[in-house]
Amino acid sequence: MSDEPEVTPIEPTADQVSQIVAQVSDEKVASFEFRPGNYNDHCFLVLTSGRRLVIRFSRRGWEGGHWKIEKFSREGCAANILSRETGLSTPQTLIVDGSRSIIDMVYAVQCHVSGLVFRDVFDSATADEKITLLHAFGDVASQIHKIDFPDCDYDEDYAYITCDPLLAKCPHEHVAMIKERLAAERVEGSDGTGWALRRTSLHRAEFTSDTAEAFRVSIDDGIKTLRDQDKAETTTARSLSTLFERHWPQVAEHLGRRNFCHGDYHFANIMVESCHESELWKIAGVFDLDLFQATCPIEDFGKAEEFDFPSIDIPGFRRHILRGYANDLDQLDYSILTLGSWLGSSSRIDRASDALQDTRHVDESTLVEIMFGDN
């Protein structure tokens, strides 16, 4: 996460909320609720027509909030593309304002995504409902990853998305600063409006032509850490090294992919609604897209693996996700890539230790059983 200083939250007055809304609508504000957050504060409001909007205020103070202006703008572009290509509801961004003329915060005004939060529904669902939801979780991930970046150009390391129209309310010097900061990460398109999406590896290292090799080194370091901390026997460590050596061509091929990825795809960033025909749940929309990126698709399962999957009580639940995903990612590839991401991250290595507990020899069938079995 960025190490820029945080900004003390500023709760907007009713008059400030009305002024902000007046930038995007002629309607009056009927009610609003301010909710402070960890990184962004939110103001949920209802207009007189019943229409719902959300104002997202930046909680970060990097260089006056210019970093957040860029992220809000990029999120708006991602939401537009994702909604157009999948039909899912996304938080359409109406304006990004970094002028601080109404309130001394950077903010974005977005449309509200209706529905119930996936995580809340999942926690209280029946076993059959959970299986349906897991299948849908995989299906929506597949839809996202199949998007072809229709508005982007490519070169070896970058994908571009135009977000300049959303910067209309940002002072010229702010926009200039953003573009200057990103100069090393972007090459302008023919119209000079491309914004770079930095590719990442599974452990979110900055993309270079050596990403696969760097990932492999991090995996080897993780295996050595488990062995040195007596969390894995020497025979276990040796079998892990052999397994990754055997499947490295497939791992490198996956790491080289450049798919549209949500970037923060977990149960709290998905909205569901009741499907009256089947009396089950279906996914209505996704939000919180400011981390979207062009990268290896397995990256999009990392947050759910960290935040949601450990508490799921459905035996072999990952099978239902991959059945919904129905893409070119099989159980073995998923298992190897996920284990690699755990081994390659100091904050996730305990997941690898827990998964491999009491396992003396790790081969393909053993690993798939650990990840997808009924244990």
Side-chain angles (χ1 to χ4, degrees), residues 119 143 264 325:
R119 182 177 290 164
Q143 292 182 52
D264 202 10
Y325 193 70

Side-chain angles (χ1 to χ4, degrees), residues 153 160 179 183 186-195:
D153 297 318
Y160 303 106
K179 292 185 176 182
R186 95 193 238 280
V187 179
E188 292 187 354
S190 58
D191 59 354
T193 57
W195 291 85

Side-chain angles (χ1 to χ4, degrees), residues 89-293:
S89 294
T90 59
Q92 301 297 297
T93 299
L94 305 177
I95 196 171
V96 177
D97 192 344
S99 68
R100 302 178 183 267
S101 59
I102 296 175
I103 188 171
D104 190 22
M105 296 283 278
V106 174
Y107 63 82
V109 181
Q110 299 176 336
C111 296
H112 183 264
V113 179
S114 62
L116 300 174
V117 177
F118 187 113
R119 182 177 290 164
D120 296 338
V121 172
F122 189 88
D123 287 345
S124 60
T126 66
D128 286 344
E129 288 174 332
K130 287 182 177 179
I131 290 173
T132 300
L133 287 165
L134 290 169
H135 189 281
F137 179 83
D139 176 58
V140 168
S142 176
Q143 292 182 52
I144 293 172
H145 298 160
K146 288 177 181 176
I147 295 175
D148 291 328
F149 287 101
D151 295 332
C152 297
D153 297 318
Y154 297 97
D155 67 9
E156 182 180 356
D157 294 346
Y158 303 104
Y160 303 106
I161 286 186
T162 300
C163 61
D164 292 69
L166 290 170
L167 297 176
K169 288 295 295 183
C170 295
H172 173 75
E173 61 271 19
H174 288 196
V175 178
M177 182 176 289
I178 295 168
K179 292 185 176 182
E180 181 181 354
R181 183 176 71 85
L182 293 176
E185 302 181 11
R186 95 193 238 280
V187 179
E188 292 187 354
S190 58
D191 59 354
T193 57
W195 291 85
L197 302 181
R198 179 69 78 168
R199 290 177 67 190
T200 64
S201 74
L202 290 175
H203 56 297
R204 299 186 179 278
E206 194 171 82
F207 176 81
T208 70
S209 59
D210 299 324
T211 293
E213 184 58 33
F215 184 52
R216 186 169 186 172
V217 169
S218 72
I219 291 172
D220 291 341
D221 289 344
I223 293 172
K224 182 176 183 297
T225 297
L226 289 183
R227 188 183 64 227
D228 292 347
Q229 294 179 354
D230 295 325
K231 293 181 179 179
E233 296 185 16
T234 301
T235 54
T236 306
R238 187 179 298 118
S239 66
L240 281 172
S241 297
T242 301
L243 179 68
F244 280 102
E245 176 71 26
R246 218 167 25 238
H247 291 276
W248 195 252
Q250 297 99 296
V251 172
E253 191 275 329
H254 276 283
L255 288 175
R257 294 184 182 180
R258 194 197 319 256
N259 294 68
F260 187 112
C261 290
H262 183 290
D264 202 10
Y265 190 65
H266 57 80
F267 290 5
N269 284 339
I270 304 170
M271 302 298 279
V272 300
E273 62 186 9
S274 178
C275 182
H276 299 295
E277 294 81 3
S278 63
E279 297 184 350
L280 292 173
W281 297 97
K282 66 177 182 179
I283 293 181
V286 296
F287 58 96
D288 209 359
L289 288 153
D290 58 345
L291 294 178
F292 93 104
Q293 55 191 309

Side-chain angles (χ1 to χ4, degrees), residues 45 51 66 196 343:
L45 54 96
R51 182 186 182 197
H66 307 107
L343 289 167

